[in-house]
Amino acid sequence: MSSCLFCKIVAGDIPADKIYEDEDVFAFHDIGKQAPHHFLVIPKIHIASLNETNDAALVGKLTLTASKIAKDLGFADEGYRVVMNCNDHGGQTVYHLHLHCLGGRVLSWPPG
Ligand code: AMP
Ligand code: ZN
């Protein structure tokens, strides 16, 4: 979608600190990191939010890509959190589906 920030990142029209890319997904460091490690995994196709998809394979791939990257970056054993914010109450600000992965510190629960 031409007006979507994350579609522009996938297309290379806006620079991002890329970690990983394959035919389905794209991962990059979050520009406003909330933990020592904070990256996003997104589908290459435009999906506005988790409410807008039934693609179990793609949603699963986002999650497993995050765990692989956390292992590759060396913080998986200590632990991490993956989260998708959905719509207003979930705190979603960018309406292209994305999975946050946060690690490198103890994360509190419940979230605010
Ligand atoms: P959410 O609030 O769940 O929609 O998360 C959107 C995330 O995208 C936030 O954590 C932002 O810091 C991050 N973000 C916004 N613009 C960029 C960008 N150009 N590059 C990397 N991360 C971004
Ligand atoms: Zn998009």
Side-chain angles (χ1 to χ4, degrees):
M1 199 173 76
S2 60
S3 64
C4 170
L5 174 66
F6 286 178
C7 282
K8 288 178 182 170
I9 285 177
V10 169
D13 295 337
I14 290 179
D17 191 2
K18 184 171 91 172
I19 305 169
Y20 174 80
E21 177 179 12
D22 65 22
E23 65 275 22
D24 301 313
V25 305
F26 191 99
F28 54 105
H29 292 284
D30 194 297
I31 204 167
K33 69 177 186 176
Q34 300 297 317
H37 297 284
H38 184 180
F39 63 84
L40 304 174
V41 189
I42 69 174
K44 285 191 159 177
I45 60 168
H46 182 81
I47 298 169
S49 81
L50 191 56
N51 286 343
E52 310 302 323
T53 184
N54 291 310
D55 190 337
L58 183 57
V59 173
K61 186 166 182 177
L62 297 176
T63 309
L64 294 179
T65 299
S67 77
K68 182 182 185 316
I69 292 171
K71 289 171 189 166
D72 289 347
L73 295 181
F75 64 91
D77 285 347
E78 287 81 10
Y80 56 93
R81 182 171 297 163
V82 292
V83 63
M84 283 181 184
N85 297 327
C86 184
N87 280 356
D88 193 31
H89 283 193
Q92 185 172 5
T93 60
V94 177
Y95 281 81
H96 179 125
L97 183 66
H98 52 281
L99 183 82
H100 294 258
C101 182
L102 302 114
R105 67 172 172 85
V106 175
L107 299 161
S108 61
W109 190 263

